[in-house]
Amino acid sequence: ASYDPQGGITDWLWDFGDGTPVIPGRKVEHTYERAGGFIVTLVVVGPVQTQVKSATFIPSSGSCGIIFLLAA
């Protein structure tokens, strides 16, 4: 999940790096169908600016999450 302490986010776009379509939404879930390392990208669109954050993710068994910290 992501949020803007100043408010005003107009869109969140998640690319999970595995060829599946981009998923819009503040809080989303995604299941990887194959093993490997993936570059996860979050695009946060606000009224003043757009921020893009990426992280390499290697899924393991069980449930896990990714946290992106976006500077104001």
Side-chain angles (χ1 to χ4, degrees):
S2 61
Y3 72 98
D4 180 351
Q6 298 173 335
I9 292 178
T10 58
D11 211 353
W12 299 262
L13 303 169
W14 297 87
D15 180 345
F16 288 94
D18 60 353
T20 57
V22 170
I23 301 173
R26 180 176 178 270
K27 183 176 181 179
V28 300
E29 293 185 14
H30 181 73
T31 301
Y32 287 96
E33 299 296 328
R34 65 183 192 282
F38 303 93
I39 297 176
V40 178
T41 302
L42 169 61
V43 178
V44 178
V45 181
V48 177
Q49 65 180 346
T50 297
Q51 290 194 33
V52 178
K53 295 290 180 177
S54 295
T56 300
F57 180 67
I58 300 173
S60 61
S61 61
S63 180
C64 56
I66 297 175
I67 298 173
F68 285 92
L69 300 176
L70 303 172

